[in-house]
Amino acid sequence: MRDSAQRCPRLVAALEDLAAQEEASLKARDFAAIESIQERLGALVKNLVLHVSGADAELRLRIAAVQARRERTSEWLATELARTREELRETEVSQRRVAKIAPVYGAVPATARARQHGHGSLSFVG
């Protein structure tokens, strides 16, 4: 029990630190770092669950605050994910429109393209 009482505050401090790192990484849009942080958070939470019975009221409040912070972070991430999915959907719709319209315009022959760029054919005949 004494070991849990000593370990729990260190685990909560590490949890707070990782939650802050996660939030900062989200703001920086560093998704690779977020993945690594979330893996460490998962392991830390599992370890914390084993020792939480020795936590006092103050420590439980800190744990609740970290949980609330992570919920806000998760909500922000879900919003960003939804926004990104919508942008991707709009891009795909635009690409389909272009694919439908492109054949109407046809390909520009190479000689016409050369004239457009001022590269007419050379002739030595007067």
Side-chain angles (χ1 to χ4, degrees):
M1 184 68 115
R2 183 161 169 80
D3 182 46
S4 288
Q6 292 173 347
R7 180 173 282 179
C8 204
R10 290 193 309 266
L11 291 172
V12 171
L15 187 66
E16 291 167 332
D17 182 53
L18 284 174
Q21 288 178 36
E22 179 185 45
E23 188 175 29
S25 295
L26 279 172
K27 288 179 181 175
R29 302 181 77 76
D30 185 355
F31 297 110
I34 293 167
E35 182 179 7
S36 171
I37 291 167
Q38 287 184 339
E39 287 174 8
R40 294 187 334 215
L41 275 166
L44 191 59
V45 167
K46 286 179 184 176
N47 199 352
L48 185 60
V49 166
L50 298 174
H51 301 283
V52 78
S53 62
D56 59 17
E58 179 186 343
L59 216 44
R60 289 179 190 273
L61 286 174
R62 286 173 60 193
I63 293 169
V66 170
Q67 181 181 7
R69 181 182 204 166
R70 293 212 62 227
E71 285 174 9
R72 287 190 305 273
T73 299
S74 293
E75 289 169 6
W76 182 87
L77 187 56
T79 300
E80 287 297 304
L81 191 56
R83 184 186 59 76
T84 302
R85 282 185 179 139
E86 179 59 23
E87 288 175 359
L88 180 59
R89 188 194 64 74
E90 289 173 6
T91 299
E92 289 170 346
V93 167
S94 295
Q95 287 174 335
R96 283 193 295 273
R97 284 186 195 140
V98 168
K100 287 179 183 178
I101 295 171
V104 173
Y105 291 97
V108 177
T111 54
R113 214 179 0 224
R115 275 189 239 121
Q116 288 174 348
H117 297 289
H119 304 295
S121 46
L122 294 177
S123 173
F124 291 109
V125 178

